[in-house]
Amino acid sequence: MNKQLSSLHDTIALGDALIDPLHELIRSQQLEFIMEAHDGLSAAVAAQAGFKALWASGLSISSSLGYRDANEASWTQMVDVVERMADASGLPILVDGDSGFGNFNNARLLAAKLHQRGASGVCLEDKGFPKMNSFVGNRHPLAEIDEFSGRLRAVKDSVPAMVLVARIEALIAGYGLDEALTRGHAYADAGADAVLIHSRRSDATEILEFARQWAGKLPVVIVPTKYYQTPVSAYREAKISTVIWANHNMRAATAAMRTTCGRIMAEESIAGVEGEVASLEEVFGLLRYDELSAAEDRYLPQHT
Ligand code: SPV
Ligand code: MG
């Protein structure tokens, strides 16, 4: 039995409630890390590396499908990819739900379908549909607080088992800490399990100041893509809950594919790259061909 697959729906019974491991991770007292994946294979690689949970990144999934991170991929395409990630890794997945693909109704439908297909949590950002990636341009209109809070409440009411992370885009949209804090408190009141405070500055000053003023009201999640030089000790000190490494499988794959394609093109041969690409055995191992072979022994007629 595939150990990872057997933990696909791992839950801890607590009275009537079922607590997903992602709830434990977000609430844990120590700093936790969630790794980006964007398909079944990258999810399996992250699981093998030892990550306890995955981030189904909108940017990375869009990119791998050849779309821009501006809600060009449909919500059902996202759900399909998340299902492949869940099955291939057995890990809890926090899904980047963008702004929920519409109003409260679209958001709760998205969350319910994600849950059915194996996701453990969804992160919704306080923007409209279509959204634009937070690192692109300066047009990031924020949703009204009341309306976005309704989206959060609808998700919490219809899928209480899902971890609900409310992502605050105020700093991305050019507002200050006060706006970010006001929004965070409103989203906590609406039932969010954690807040994600996003920033595109190259230093962590505003994130750390947010954490200080937030004072632990709910767990704080961060995405240090742009302030990558800050050591994680600063986050531990600031009592940040979870760090999302949000796009490095996608970017690593892009760089590796570019190098490999360039060499094969130039050399008119695959001999030079053979020692640099993953072996087929490694790929077969990641996708558990051994399990299939054992199943064949059990279920196929044996011919001697
Ligand atoms: C994503 O990974 O899609 C995110 C994080 O939302 S970011 O691209 O940093 O906005
Ligand atoms: Mg995103």
Side-chain angles (χ1 to χ4, degrees):
M1 179 80 180
N2 181 337
K3 190 153 184 311
Q4 284 173 350
L5 284 182
S6 73
S7 65
L8 187 58
H9 298 296
D10 249 359
T11 47
I12 300 161
L14 256 194
D16 287 334
L18 288 173
I19 307 294
D20 187 280
L22 189 65
H23 278 282
E24 305 293 303
L25 184 137
I26 294 275
R27 287 189 207 143
S28 104
Q29 290 305 303
Q30 66 189 41
L31 184 65
E32 302 282 0
F33 301 95
I34 298 183
M35 182 65 194
E36 170 264 326
H38 51 273
D39 58 13
L41 184 60
S42 55
V45 169
Q48 192 184 52
F51 285 100
K52 289 193 269 185
L54 300 176
W55 168 244
S57 155
L59 170 63
S60 300
I61 293 173
S62 301
S63 303
S64 75
L65 293 173
Y67 284 124
R68 290 164 293 203
D69 185 20
N71 286 136
E72 290 184 346
S74 71
W75 71 270
T76 54
Q77 286 177 304
M78 299 295 293
V79 169
D80 286 344
V81 172
V82 169
E83 180 178 59
R84 297 309 322 132
M85 290 171 54
D87 287 352
S89 69
L91 290 180
I93 302 178
L94 175 62
V95 179
D96 179 0
D98 289 336
S99 53
F101 290 80
N103 70 2
F104 78 92
N105 189 42
N106 306 91
R108 68 181 179 175
L109 179 59
L110 171 73
K113 285 291 159 195
L114 286 170
H115 186 58
Q116 283 176 3
R117 308 281 282 275
S120 299
V122 64
C123 175
L124 293 183
E125 65 196 53
D126 54 357
K127 298 206 285 211
F129 180 91
K131 57 67 65 74
M132 171 52 75
N133 182 270
S134 304
F135 302 137
V136 177
N138 290 314
R139 206 196 322 268
H140 295 281
L142 297 183
E144 294 294 329
I145 293 179
D146 280 358
E147 185 274 327
F148 184 70
S149 298
R151 270 184 253 170
L152 296 174
R153 284 191 285 110
V155 167
K156 210 56 206 169
D157 286 346
S158 46
V159 209
M162 283 279 261
V163 172
L164 177 59
V165 178
R167 166 164 159 180
I168 305 161
E169 288 281 287
L171 303 177
I172 299 289
Y175 295 90
L177 267 186
D178 286 349
E179 180 70 21
L181 287 158
T182 301
R183 284 175 173 268
H185 287 292
Y187 305 158
D189 292 345
D193 297 299
V195 292
L196 188 161
I197 180 72
H198 205 17
S199 165
R200 58 184 190 184
R201 286 176 55 139
S202 57
D203 63 81
T205 338
E206 60 184 8
I207 290 297
L208 296 174
E209 186 53 23
F210 176 92
R212 197 183 65 77
Q213 293 192 36
W214 180 250
K217 177 159 181 178
L218 282 181
V220 174
V221 181
I222 61 169
V223 179
T225 300
K226 291 287 180 181
Y227 47 100
Y228 54 84
Q229 270 164 335
T230 307
V232 294
S233 55
Y235 308 141
R236 287 202 174 91
E237 233 165 81
K239 303 260 184 307
I240 280 163
S241 150
T242 305
V243 172
I244 298 177
W245 307 124
N247 46 50
H248 285 69
N249 266 329
M250 180 272 289
R251 288 166 62 195
T254 303
M257 289 189 285
R258 181 187 356 92
T259 304
T260 304
C261 283
R263 279 194 65 179
I264 295 174
M265 178 76 190
E267 297 169 10
E268 295 187 338
S269 167
I270 52 175
V273 300
E274 179 61 23
E276 290 167 22
V277 295
S279 68
L280 289 178
E281 284 63 37
E282 183 178 349
V283 176
F284 298 155
L286 278 166
L287 297 179
R288 300 303 315 270
Y289 280 56
D290 57 341
E291 187 279 336
L292 176 56
S293 159
E296 283 174 348
D297 290 345
R298 268 202 312 281
Y299 302 122
L300 286 179
Q302 301 300 308
H303 299 292
T304 49

